[in-house]
Amino acid sequence: MGRGRSRSPRRGGNPTAVFETTEGSFEAEIFLDRVPITASSFIDLCKTGFYEGIHFHRVIPGFMNQFGCPHAKDPKSRRAGTGGPPDGTFENLQTGRTERRSNGGNIKDENISKDSNTPGTLSMANTGSPNTGGSQFFLNVANNNNLDWFSPGASKHPVFGKVTSGMDVVVKISKVETRDDNPVNPIKMKRITISGI
C-alpha cells in the first residue's frame, strides 16, 4: 500500500483535522494508526485550543510552512520558533495510556513509521536534538525526504499526517511575501477542528 494512504479502514479510520487560517482552510488526515503518541499529542493540543490565534512564523517557498510556537501569537515576536506547550500529560488515543510532555513541552521521538516528507505531509519540528518535538510542526510543499528520520544526515522529522484537501491554500501560504522567512502580512490560525475520534 502506498505511503499516502492510511492503513486503517475508512470507517473507524484515522481522524481528520480542519485548519482554518486567515488565508483559507485545508484538511489533513492525522496518522493516529502510525504514530499514536505524536498524533495524540497534536489532537490534544487542538482540542484544548492551544493553536488558536498562533501565526505561521516561518514560510519558505518551495520548502515548507512552519507553525505552532505559542510565542507566535504575536506575529512579530523575536521568540517565535522557540516555544512549545506546557509540560503535562495527555491520553494516547490508540492505547489509552497516559503520555507525558516534559522538558519544555517535548514528547519523545516516534521514529517508527517510514512516511516520507513529501508534498502535503505534516511533520514534527524540533531543535535538532532528539526528543525535542512539542507543538511546532511544518507542512511540506516540496519533496523534503532529506528530513526523513530514516534518511542519512542529522535532521530527523517524523511525519504525522497528510493534507487531503486544500493543498492550494498550503502552497499559497508558502508563497506570501516574507521578511526573514516571517510573513509580512501575518497568517493566523483561527482554529483547528478534529473529527473522526
Side-chain angles (χ1 to χ4, degrees):
M1 179 175 284
R3 286 284 124 196
R5 296 184 53 203
S6 168
R7 292 184 207 135
S8 295
R10 192 67 237 138
R11 194 171 64 193
N14 280 325
T16 59
V18 175
F19 299 78
E20 296 175 56
T21 80
T22 52
E23 289 292 318
S25 297
F26 58 94
E27 186 172 327
E29 176 185 3
I30 304 303
F31 297 158
L32 183 61
D33 62 340
R34 305 179 200 184
V35 284
I37 295 170
T38 307
S40 295
S41 177
F42 171 76
I43 291 166
D44 177 67
L45 292 171
C46 291
K47 288 188 156 212
T48 61
F50 178 86
Y51 291 115
E52 292 176 13
I54 294 178
H55 296 82
F56 284 84
H57 67 272
R58 185 174 177 229
V59 299
I60 303 173
F63 182 35
M64 60 91 214
N65 306 330
Q66 191 167 337
F67 170 80
C69 175
H71 300 307
K73 282 199 174 193
D74 171 358
K76 302 301 177 193
S77 172
R78 292 177 185 257
R79 295 177 60 206
T82 65
D87 289 353
T89 60
F90 60 95
E91 179 186 0
N92 183 320
L93 299 170
Q94 192 80 328
T95 66
R97 286 191 294 247
T98 299
E99 303 289 352
R100 180 166 300 284
R101 288 187 199 98
S102 59
N103 300 318
N106 298 321
I107 59 172
K108 55 186 169 182
D109 291 337
E110 201 168 19
N111 297 335
I112 57 175
S113 181
K114 288 194 172 184
D115 294 290
S116 189
N117 281 275
T118 57
T121 53
L122 286 68
S123 191
M124 287 301 292
N126 59 44
T127 67
S129 296
N131 303 310
T132 57
S135 57
Q136 293 188 51
F137 63 94
F138 55 93
L139 296 137
N140 289 293
V141 296
N143 183 359
N144 295 317
N145 61 1
N146 58 304
L147 301 177
D148 295 341
W149 67 265
F150 49 91
S151 70
S155 198
K156 308 291 182 190
H157 301 276
V159 167
F160 69 94
K162 183 162 179 81
V163 173
T164 56
S165 68
M167 187 62 187
D168 57 324
V169 174
V170 175
V171 171
K172 179 175 139 183
I173 291 170
S174 75
K175 293 181 177 180
V176 300
E177 183 183 354
T178 61
R179 185 174 301 113
D180 299 323
D181 297 332
N182 189 2
V184 171
N185 296 311
I187 302 166
K188 181 167 67 174
M189 187 64 65
K190 295 177 184 177
R191 72 190 56 82
I192 304 173
T193 306
I194 302 292
S195 62
I197 47 172

